[in-house]
Amino acid sequence: MTAIVTVRVQQEDFDTAAEIAALSHGRTDIGAVVSFSGLCRGNDHDTPISALTLEHYPGMAEAEIMRHAEQAMARWPLQGMTVIHRFGRIRPGENIVLVVTASSHRQAAFEAAEFLMDYLKTNAPFWKREETENGGSWVEAKSYDDAAAARWKS
């Protein structure tokens, strides 16, 4: 069967279970589905967060995510994947990102999902601004996220 790759950048929320079901429906060649859902936290180091605002470069964000999705498809034996990243104002507890990978075996699905999330966290063209009671500030890159992404370069 043909691999299915879906990449969406959208303002609307998504249904994780429905996305998993859509990717795997009727597929008897899939033995493993791995999903990662990223949610907006309600605090950052004991500072309450009232919302995040995610901005992106339309067109470029989708193309860059698709480029990395294609790299994952070439690197691991996947039957499909779904990557959804939201933009706009997101409140604590709401979905931000979803990565679903499907393969015949679990190792490929796990590794591909980690690869994609490490890319999304460090290099995807999104900018995140946290809102707190003291105002707002842009979120800086974290060195531990860069270190996690670096392992895929070898």
Side-chain angles (χ1 to χ4, degrees):
M1 297 183 92
T2 305
I4 298 169
V5 178
T6 302
V7 170
R8 295 195 319 261
V9 176
Q10 63 191 45
Q11 194 164 11
E12 306 79 30
D13 197 7
F14 51 83
D15 181 332
T16 300
E19 296 296 337
I20 293 169
L23 181 62
S24 59
H25 180 75
R27 301 292 300 257
T28 59
D29 57 333
I30 294 173
V33 174
V34 169
S35 67
F36 174 85
S37 301
L39 308 174
C40 178
R41 288 186 305 273
N43 64 63
D44 186 29
H45 304 292
D46 298 325
T47 301
I49 296 172
S50 55
L52 292 176
T53 299
L54 289 134
E55 296 182 8
H56 73 297
Y57 191 101
M60 184 177 129
E62 293 87 346
E64 281 298 298
I65 295 169
M66 182 58 81
R67 189 169 68 82
H68 282 80
E70 290 168 352
Q71 287 179 8
M73 293 298 291
R75 191 168 182 170
W76 290 278
L78 300 174
Q79 275 67 39
M81 77 173 60
T82 299
V83 180
I84 303 170
H85 204 299
R86 292 184 62 203
F87 66 91
R89 193 164 190 266
I90 300 170
R91 295 187 175 278
E94 293 181 347
N95 292 313
I96 298 173
V97 64
L98 175 66
V99 171
V100 182
T101 54
S103 182
S104 295
H105 302 283
R106 71 179 185 272
Q107 184 174 356
F110 273 115
E111 289 176 1
E114 281 189 291
F115 168 80
L116 289 163
M117 271 313 306
D118 286 343
Y119 158 72
L120 289 168
K121 191 71 175 160
T122 58
N123 292 310
F126 289 91
W127 298 272
K128 183 168 48 173
R129 185 171 175 80
E130 288 181 343
E131 295 176 27
T132 67
E133 61 187 26
N134 298 324
S137 62
W138 293 102
V139 177
E140 298 291 325
K142 310 276 192 298
S143 60
Y144 53 81
D145 289 329
D146 290 333
R151 68 186 162 143
W152 302 110
K153 294 189 188 322
S154 58

